[in-house]
Structures are given as C-alpha cells and as structure tokens.
C-alpha cells in the first residue's frame, strides 16, 4: 500500500517538475494587466513556454517577493521598487530595464464628462474621484502629483476614493460608483484610441515620468523561460503590443 | 506606542460601525429570529438559508454585488438617488448596510436557537394566564432568550469588527468614513510599515481572544449558538 502510494506520488510529481522548467511565474503591476495577457499569449505561441501571471499593486507584489513569493520575473509600475530589490540582492545582476513608460488618463465611463484639458476637475460635476493608493501604487502617486501641479489637491481630497491598486481604481469608475478617476491609459486605450467613455490624456510633464522597470528575480537563475520572457519583452512584437496600449517605449 | 492619529481614527470608526450594526441587527434580527423559530411556513427553510448565506459566501461576493446594486446603475443606487441621498459606496452608511448583511447570521442564529430552546410550553402557560401575544413575547420569550441575545450581540459586534473584504470592495479607503482597522492594517502592511501593522493586528488578536474567552466562560451558550 505504502509502495503504491509512493509510486503514485512520484508519477504525479515527476512530469510536473519537467513542466516547471519551462514555466515562468511573473508578477505584474496591475496597470500592465491587459498588455501582459496579450504578450503572454504571443510568447507562449512563439516559444512554447508557459506564463503564469499574478497581478497586483507594485507595493503588494514587492511585499510578496520579499516574503518568498515564487516569482521569476517582476514587472513593476515604477523604477524605484525594482531598484530597491536589486540593492537588496534579490534580482539577477544587470537584468533591470525599462519595459514601458506609463501614461496617466483622467477617465470617466460617461461619454461627455471629461474634457480634453481636465477642466472638469475644477467643476462640481462629480462626487467621487477615484485614484490608486498613492502610498503603494505609482499611478496613484502620479495622480496626486497632477492634482498638486494644478493646485487642486487640497480641494479635491474630500472627494477622493482610493483603490488598493490601479485595477480597483478603474473598477470604481467603470461601475459608475466614482464618476471619474485617474487610471492608467493602458486600461482604457486599445489600438491607438479610447475604448469607451471620455478621457483627458494627462500631459507627461504634470507628473514624474512613470518608468516601469522589469527585473529577473534571483530564484529564476536556472529558469530559461524567465530570460526568454524578458528577451521577448524587449523584442519587436512585444513593443508593438505595448505601444498599442498607449505606453511609450 | 507608534500608533498615529489615523490609526486611532480607524479604531474609533470601527467601534462606531460595530456598535451601530449590532444595535440595528438586534432590532431587525430579533423579530426575524422569532418568526424563524415559530413559523411552520414553507418559507422558513429558504429564508433560513438566505440568512445563513454570509456564513459561506466569500466577502468578495457580498462586496461585489453590493457595489453593483448600490452603484448608480443598480436598483438600490437608483432608489437612493431618487430619494436624494446619492449613492452609498464610499460612505459610512454604505458600510453599515454591508455589515448588516455580513453579520446577519451571527445575530439571528443565536437568538433563533434561544427562542427554539424555550419551546412552546412557557408561552402556552402564559397564554392561559391571559397574556396577549406581545405580552408573551416581551415578558416571557425575551427574558428567557437573554443568553442568546447576549451571545448574538457579542458575536455580531466581534464579527463586524473583523470585517475586511466587504469594506475593501465598497469602502474606497476614506479616512473617518470607510477606513476601518482591518483596512488600515492592510494599508500598513502594503506600505511596509510593519511596526504599526503589528500594533493594530496584535490589538485585534487580543480583542478577539478576549471576546471568545468571555463567551466560553458564559457556559456553553456561545459554542452552542455558533454551531
């Protein structure tokens, strides 16, 4: 009985160990969810490797990584978090690079609420303005910088609602519970145009640039799929996908 | 103690939320429990199951449907807007409503069990002594069900204090409105402020243990009521 059980266990474990060698687990900042899904599908098709992606706020993912989460690659929403991981010795040396530069949009699901210069922020045509938590999400931090740059931060603070990631901020606006919100352009942008609602594409000079860096984490040293994915991200096909979601490269 | 004023605000807000929710649940839940304990209607089983749903549903399900229902396109949202109240997500009132659903079984079930344990005999005796239905309820049933009511209050209060998923989904993390202790702990952990997270988390741990210890000491009422 004990023997059969052992054999059974071995049978279950062995093939999966082989599969694991070609599987890459990647932690992805929430704003990059949609492009990552497209890129992962293309990558799997082109290379045969499997991608397992987890999405969350950059702060959340950082905390998971420092507590031993099994990720091979980390696509952050900023450059400081990967740099921090690098200085802590948690990454493969020299693997850090900027895979995209993010853009911020003031977006509403209502077709005519947001104008092309963001003047709606000075109006009382909304009760709630959704942002991502500025403490943990770089897009949330950028949103507060934009409001501060326009001298509106103090006046808007009572109307702010915070999502724990840019994904939740988007969901507050999409469900109409917040009339508008600062989201990542990539969440509302497809093939070079706004997919629905109305938006102000926030000029990049109103906030610190959102350089989004990627790193290979040190546990992935022996995983060829991790390097393959990072190479793929730098490649032509991925660049095209990334641009189509409104990112700069 | 490294707790900030924001932490204390979260604690105060949580206590307010739990107190108001418990008071409302006792008011609404006691008649419901009475009906569930006494009725022979075929509706007893489906309504009993509805009351128990929050025990098994993930808070994300409750939070998601509350967000949809209370949003501007949802039925509840349409009603509150037509009453001039605006929409309820991101408000304290919205949290109270969410907590009412979330903690409902923790209040109704102990009271229902207590009512059922009384049986029909004391009430029949009271009836032969010419006590009317209200008289029987207030002067016979309620006093006899007192242990159940106490258990219900304690459990309802404690369970609301421990609410997290629902608040995270409909709250929006607003200071003094929707940022309760559990959310504040999450914020601290995310921002890597582990010392503050520890203080709040350990406080919750001690508080919850003390509550359950009190229930245990009150005989087995609590345990019976939960099962």
């Amino acid at each position: 009985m004990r023997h059969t059980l052992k054999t059974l266990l071995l049978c279950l474990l062995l093939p999966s160990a082989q599969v694991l060698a070609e599987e890459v687990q990647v932690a992805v900042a929430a704003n990059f969810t949609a492009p990552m899904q497209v890129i992962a599908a293309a990558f799997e098709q082109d290379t045969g490797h499997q991608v397992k992606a987890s999405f969350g706020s950059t702060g959340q993912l950082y905390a998971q990584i420092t507590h031993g989460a099994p990720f091979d690659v980390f696509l952050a929403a900023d450059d400081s978090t990967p740099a921090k991981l690098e200085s802590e010795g948690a990454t493969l040396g020299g693997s850090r690079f900027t895979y995209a530069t993010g853009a911020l949009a003031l977006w509403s699901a209502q077709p005519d609420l947001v104008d092309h210069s963001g003047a709606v922020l000075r109006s009382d045509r909304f009760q709630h303005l959704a942002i991502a938590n500025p403490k943990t999400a770089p897009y949330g931090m950028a949103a507060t910088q934009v409001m501060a740059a326009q001298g509106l931060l103090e006046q808007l603070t009572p109307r702010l609602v915070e999502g724990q990631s840019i994904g939740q901020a988007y969901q507050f606006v999409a469900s109409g519970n917040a009339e508008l919100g600062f989201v990542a352009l990539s969440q509302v942008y497809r093939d070079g145009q706004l997919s629905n609602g109305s938006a102000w594409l926030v000029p990049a000079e109103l906030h610190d640039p959102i350089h989004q860096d990627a790193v290979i984490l040190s546990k992935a040293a022996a995983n060829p799929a991790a390097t393959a994915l990072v190479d793929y991200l730098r490649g032509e096909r991925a660049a095209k996908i990334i641009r189509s979601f409104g990112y700069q490269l | 103690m490294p707790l900030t004023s924001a932490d204390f605000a979260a604690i105060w807000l949580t206590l307010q939320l739990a107190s108001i929710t418990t008071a409302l649940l006792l008011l609404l839940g006691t008649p419901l429990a009475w009906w569930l304990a006494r009725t022979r209607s075929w509706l007893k089983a489906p309504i009993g199951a509805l009351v128990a749903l929050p025990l098994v549903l993930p808070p994300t399900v409750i939070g998601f449907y509350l967000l949809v229902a209370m949003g501007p396109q949802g039925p509840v949202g349409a009603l509150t807007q037509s009453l001039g109240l605006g929409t309820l997500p991101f408000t304290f009132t919205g949290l109270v409503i969410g907590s009412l659903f979330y903690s409902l079984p923790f209040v109704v079930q102990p009271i229902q069990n207590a009512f059922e344990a009384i049986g029909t005999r004391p009430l029949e005796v009271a009836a032969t002594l010419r006590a009317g239905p209200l008289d029987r309820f207030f002067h016979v049933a309620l006093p006899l069900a007192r242990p159940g009511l106490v258990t219900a209050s304690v459990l309802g209060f404690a369970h609301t204090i421990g609410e997290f998923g629902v608040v995270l989904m409909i709250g929006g993390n607003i200071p003094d409105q929707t940022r309760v202790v559990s959310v504040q702990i999450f914020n601290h952990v995310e921002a890597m402020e582990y010392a503050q997270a520890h203080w709040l988390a350990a406080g919750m741990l001690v508080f919850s243990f003390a509550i359950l210890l009190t229930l245990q000491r009150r005989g087995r009422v609590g345990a019976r009521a939960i099962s």
Side-chain angles (χ1 to χ4, degrees), chain B residues 4-41:
Chain B
T4 62
S5 61
D7 295 329
F8 285 111
I11 292 173
W12 173 233
L13 185 74
T14 309
L15 293 175
Q16 280 178 300
L17 177 67
S19 310
I20 292 172
T21 303
T22 310
L24 285 174
L25 275 177
L26 285 176
L27 272 179
L28 303 170
T30 307
L32 180 58
W34 177 250
W35 182 82
L36 281 170
R38 312 286 302 168
T39 187
R40 289 189 187 154
S41 158

Side-chain angles (χ1 to χ4, degrees), chain B residues 129-141:
Chain B
L129 296 172
R130 298 193 163 207
L134 282 181
D135 206 11
R136 271 177 277 162
F137 178 74
F138 282 108
H139 295 114
V140 180

Side-chain angles (χ1 to χ4, degrees), chain B residues 65-209:
Chain B
Y65 280 129
L66 281 173
L67 192 67
V68 172
M70 301 197 302
Q73 277 93 43
V76 181
L79 178 74
T80 53
Q81 279 177 312
S82 69
L83 295 173
L85 299 171
T87 50
L88 293 174
F90 319 129
T91 65
F92 183 72
T93 314
L95 281 204
V96 171
I97 291 175
S99 309
L100 288 180
F101 283 106
Y102 180 68
S103 296
L104 185 68
F106 291 82
V107 172
V108 169
Q109 291 191 348
I111 305 179
Q112 183 188 342
N113 289 347
F115 282 149
E116 281 170 352
I118 295 170
T120 50
R121 191 165 158 73
L123 299 165
E124 283 165 2
V125 170
T128 62
L129 296 172
R130 298 193 163 207
L134 282 181
D135 206 11
R136 271 177 277 162
F137 178 74
F138 282 108
H139 295 114
V140 180
L142 272 192
L144 284 174
R146 216 182 86 99
L149 287 165
V150 174
T151 305
S153 317
V154 174
L155 283 181
F157 189 84
H159 193 242
T160 309
I161 296 261
E163 185 176 3
F164 173 65
V166 176
V167 184
L168 195 72
M169 291 194 70
I170 65 172
N173 195 19
I174 303 168
D176 301 321
Q177 281 282 319
T178 61
R179 187 184 286 166
V180 296
V181 172
S182 57
V183 171
Q184 184 70 350
I185 293 174
F186 184 70
N187 286 337
H188 284 320
V189 174
E190 287 237 299
M192 288 165 268
E193 297 157 350
Y194 293 145
Q196 274 167 286
H198 269 311
W199 274 100
L200 283 176
M204 288 285 261
L205 193 72
V206 170
F207 171 81
S208 308
F209 179 75

Side-chain angles (χ1 to χ4, degrees), chain A residues 50-93:
Chain A
Q50 292 286 312
V51 177
K52 270 195 177 172
S54 305
F55 304 99
S57 77
T58 295
Q60 202 172 24
L61 295 169
Y62 170 83
Q64 290 174 6
I65 289 165
T66 52
H67 288 89
F71 297 120
D72 301 302
V73 176
F74 179 32
L75 305 187
D78 61 5
D79 49 8
S80 55
T81 310
K84 197 165 164 190
L85 282 168
E86 196 177 69
S87 70
E88 289 164 1
T91 68
L92 279 194

Side-chain angles (χ1 to χ4, degrees), chain A residues 27 62 66 70 75 90 94 135 159 162 183 185 188 216 229 231 242:
Chain A
Y62 170 83
T66 52
L75 305 187
K135 267 171 124 180
R159 289 190 269 177
E162 278 178 20
V183 300
L185 181 59
V188 296
I216 301 181
L229 178 67
D231 288 344
I242 293 171

